[in-house]
Amino acid sequence: MITWRPVALWAAGILTLPAWPSPWPVLWTWLVVVAAVALADWLLAVPPTAVHMWRTGDTVVRLGNSAEVTLHVRNDGARPIRGRVRDAWTPSAGAENERYLLNLPPRATATLTTRLTPVRRGDRHAATVTIRSFGPMGFAYRQTGNRAASALTPRWRVRVLPPFHARRHLPEKLARLRVIDGTVAMRGGGQGTEFDALRDYVPGDDVRSIDWRASARSQSIVVKNWRVERDRRVVSVIDTGRTSAVRVGDEPRLDAQIEACLLLSTVAAVAGDRVDALAVDTEVRAAVQSGGKSVVPRLLQAMSPLEPALVETDFGLVVSEVLRRESKRALVVLFTSLEPGVITESLLPSLPALASRHRVIVAAVSDPEVARLRDANDSPLDVYRAAAAEQSLLERGKVTAALARHGVEVIDEPADRFASLVVDRYLTLKATGRL
Amino acid sequence: MTAVAEPDVKRPEEPTTPRPRFDRRRMAIPLLVALVLIVFTVVAALVESPDPSDPAYLSPESAQPDGGSVLAGELAAAGVTVERFTDATEGLAAAGDGTTVFLPAPAFLNTDQLYQLGDLVLTASDVTIVMVDPPRNQITPLGLDTSGGARIATRRLAPECDALATTAEADVGRQAYRPSETVAGAGEQWSLCFDGYLARAELTGLDVTVVGAGDPFGNAGMALPGNRTLALELLAGHDRLVWIDVHALATPAPAPQPSDYPDVEAPEPPPSVPIRWPEAGPTNPLYDAMPQWLWAGLVGLLVLGVMAALWRGRRLGPPVAEPLPASVPSAETVHGRARLYRRAYAYPQALRALRAGALRRIRPVLGLSSQADEATVVSRTAAHCGWSEPDVAAVLFRSEPRSEAELFHARHTLDALVAAVENSRPQGRDE
């Protein structure tokens, strides 16, 4: 294909036409000349496929931060390549600069660094690298076709982790955890129900915790020391079905669920509990199973590519997966929505099997828009909107009541408080020894 | 505890491999072959088919394959005097009683000559006219019409009719005819031979034959005995044959001038000023009026446009598609249900929902359970906010809205009641 130069040359030729006695032969001769020059230049251009490319750089970045990925282009041909390169990325990867000039002597390597500032969570892929190689006169160029370009392009993926804004709650939650744990000096020491050790009585101890039997055996008065239960199991189940695609506030419900799941898992991991996580709709989308503190980075990795699927969640699958993975009693937090249809048709029939083995919490992100619509009174349609919002709140109330009858706790809160309240509920359960 | 990490069981966003592209070349090959075949056939047919405007076409002087020299020789041998005319006017004037008029290319008769032919048809007796593939407007006055379009290749057919003596197959199948439906009695007048490719009418003193193809008369066609027999039967009926060998349209004779009628005083012609075109040539005057470089420049600009399109037309790589996640607007079901209420004029249903919501907010304030009956709710509410019991009952349970305005009103009173309950202290507990 041609560059601007033959066009300019041709235009210059047209301008001289009035000066010639017979313009037609001049015009055709000029056309032949311009075409011949462009053709010769095209034939002399170095084929752009005579390069080798590879990439280095970041593979993981948290949403909101920037990553740098470097494309290396080595000229494997015998002649220098002069041209342009476009390192294309998906638009949401937020590539700052995709187009580069290339001036590559034989055997030389160019490093083209692209700065990515992704705008969405998930996996961002590098698209094709296209190379355009100009002829020696700059009249024409050769460019890699679609097929050749995708064969040459080195693949690269940048995993964009969820932003985890909820970690701002972390210091407060961990402080409360330490109070519960008894590592911070409080009157009465640590609360808990699990027997830890026997020790000598010191003034100030709760007299109710004196172990009279042990005291009789020893010289001094001995008290029982209690501690908070450890090594309990916390399972977060994220529903990635169609209800998770609904926007609440300015983000999808799924993002709020992931934030809450991450905060809960972080706190639970610090508290010494075993943290598992599942993401399910009609199939298992992600599963993380572990104990220890390294679980959170792996959770971040597993959660980042989750996308809402436009299918009805199969709670029968959720229940069977949880029962299969957890043999001991666990706290199961279902991050879903209180949609009457899904809950009554899918969750309620399979809930008894789950609730009899585990403690279940249904955590739903509520939509503040519904509450706003209930009080709206501006347009003629608003009275109907208010009625519809009222109806939807009533239905949620009924679903909550139905779940409560199975001994399931329900958290139905807007996105900004959601994560914090879920963790509060966990800490309450932990403090009262009901895990 | 063993840490088992199951990486993503299924990644919802796999790197999309480019879709296998439809191989256009595979599709193009048969199309190209078909195209070449069609072009070859059309060109060959055009080259091979005889052209009446060719001076050699069915000319008694021409020895070429589509000439008529062999036929002329045969006719002379049969004792027929062949008179060739290159001017149709003269030829038709020379035709008279006891002659055969052979028109190999009747399309080249001008209006005057057609009138002359018409006169001949009307006045002459004992005249045979043989026309090869005449245009439609020449045969419709005779009560004959074409049937379908002309064939590219000539068909060989048997005559199968009584109007002809010959029974051998001949190459006449190019243009078929049928009696005209608009002319009464044409069906009886015309007899069709060779499956309609030859039409013959025998009138009193006149014998008109219309042949659909010129092949039986050409030098190449003479090789087939059927063609020869047919040609001789048609043309050797009389001692004289007027062969009108015309291959171009002649200019009609000028209209009679006033000077042809000396008795009539000619009016004075209007004074005319001859227009002088600048360098008047055979070309468009506008073209000549402008300088040559202007036209060349216009063509140059056209080429410039094409080149600019080529320059700007190619992208540096294709645009990249964004895999967008599914997203549903917030409170979509609420909005949808609101529109449904409105469209169905569901005022009672809308109010029922509003009342249920109001009760849900009132009950905790009053300390009532959800099982409390209507009378209890009404009396407690009335006692709490100071409204009269019938008012409260009407607002909370009784009234039935029949229009949008009533629904509005009901909602406002309901809101007022809830506000009154929520904001007032219970009676008797004022401090």
Side-chain angles (χ1 to χ4, degrees), chain A residues 92 120 123 247 287 289, chain B residues 4 6 13 315 322 330 404:
Chain A
S92 60
R120 269 199 305 122
D123 286 350
R247 297 185 81 83
Q289 206 166 28
Chain B
V4 183
E6 288 180 25
E13 194 187 305
R315 294 176 300 227
E322 172 72 29
S330 69
E404 204 171 73

Side-chain angles (χ1 to χ4, degrees), chain A residues 20-349:
Chain A
W20 295 89
S22 53
W24 285 107
V26 175
L27 188 76
W28 300 130
T29 317
W30 194 237
L31 182 62
V32 169
V33 166
V34 172
V37 170
L39 184 71
D41 207 38
W42 184 79
L43 289 172
L44 288 172
V46 181
T49 46
V51 294
H52 177 69
M53 292 193 276
W54 69 97
R55 288 183 201 267
T56 53
D58 300 331
T59 52
V60 176
V61 63
R62 193 186 289 280
L63 183 62
N65 297 353
S66 295
E68 285 190 347
V69 177
T70 306
L71 176 73
H72 303 263
V73 185
R74 190 181 67 211
N75 183 1
D76 281 351
R79 288 186 288 157
I81 293 181
R82 210 166 53 78
R84 285 187 187 182
V85 180
R86 175 175 169 225
D87 181 13
W89 287 77
T90 44
S92 60
E96 227 165 64
N97 188 14
E98 291 192 334
R99 288 153 197 273
Y100 303 93
L101 285 173
L102 196 68
N103 209 340
L104 213 54
R107 308 307 299 170
T109 303
T111 53
L112 314 171
T113 303
T114 304
R115 195 179 170 78
L116 306 169
T117 313
V119 295
R120 269 199 305 122
R121 172 177 62 75
D123 286 350
R124 300 280 86 88
H125 295 277
T128 49
V129 176
T130 312
I131 301 182
R132 177 177 286 189
S133 157
F134 293 114
M137 288 175 285
F139 265 61
Y141 61 84
R142 293 190 192 200
Q143 186 174 319
T144 45
N146 281 357
R147 206 171 299 177
S150 45
L152 276 174
T153 303
R155 307 268 162 240
W156 195 260
R157 184 194 69 181
V158 174
R159 177 155 284 187
V160 184
L161 302 179
F164 198 13
H165 295 308
R167 69 181 187 276
R168 68 178 186 273
H169 297 296
L170 210 52
E172 181 234 328
K173 304 296 173 200
L174 292 179
R176 281 187 57 191
L177 183 70
R178 283 193 292 274
V179 169
I180 295 166
D181 230 0
T183 48
V184 175
M186 287 282 289
R187 192 167 48 130
Q191 309 152 356
T193 54
E194 203 171 76
F195 175 72
D196 186 15
L198 291 171
R199 61 175 171 80
D200 281 354
Y201 174 82
V202 290
D205 277 343
D206 191 353
V207 291
R208 285 174 298 180
S209 60
I210 294 173
D211 187 350
W212 295 110
R213 207 182 288 255
S215 300
R217 283 199 299 269
S218 74
Q219 300 293 315
S220 56
I221 298 172
V222 173
V223 293
K224 276 180 186 163
N225 218 8
W226 305 99
R227 66 163 197 188
V228 177
E229 310 95 320
R230 289 182 165 267
D231 284 341
R232 296 299 150 128
R233 285 163 168 72
V234 177
V235 186
S236 307
V237 182
I238 294 181
D239 166 11
T240 57
R242 64 172 177 86
T243 54
S244 69
V246 177
R247 297 185 81 83
V248 283
D250 53 357
E251 59 178 4
R253 180 172 275 146
L254 181 63
D255 285 13
Q257 290 172 344
I258 288 175
E259 290 276 305
C261 168
L262 288 171
L263 187 67
L264 175 66
S265 305
T266 312
V267 173
V270 172
D273 286 334
R274 199 187 132 140
V275 177
D276 296 347
L278 278 173
V280 187
D281 41 68
T282 50
E283 53 191 303
V284 179
R285 299 283 178 190
V288 175
Q289 206 166 28
S290 95
K293 289 187 181 175
S294 67
V295 67
V296 176
R298 281 187 290 118
L299 256 179
L300 277 167
Q301 286 267 358
M303 295 288 151
S304 63
L306 288 181
E307 298 281 358
L310 288 180
V311 293
E312 199 82 87
T313 307
D314 180 4
F315 279 102
L317 176 71
V318 171
V319 169
S320 63
E321 278 294 320
V322 172
L323 291 178
R324 187 172 68 77
R325 285 162 197 267
E326 306 300 326
S327 51
K328 291 186 181 170
R329 188 170 171 83
L331 171 68
V332 179
V333 185
L334 287 178
F335 291 98
T336 177
S337 69
L338 292 176
E339 197 84 2
V342 195
I343 299 287
T344 52
E345 279 169 27
S346 183
L347 179 58
L348 284 180

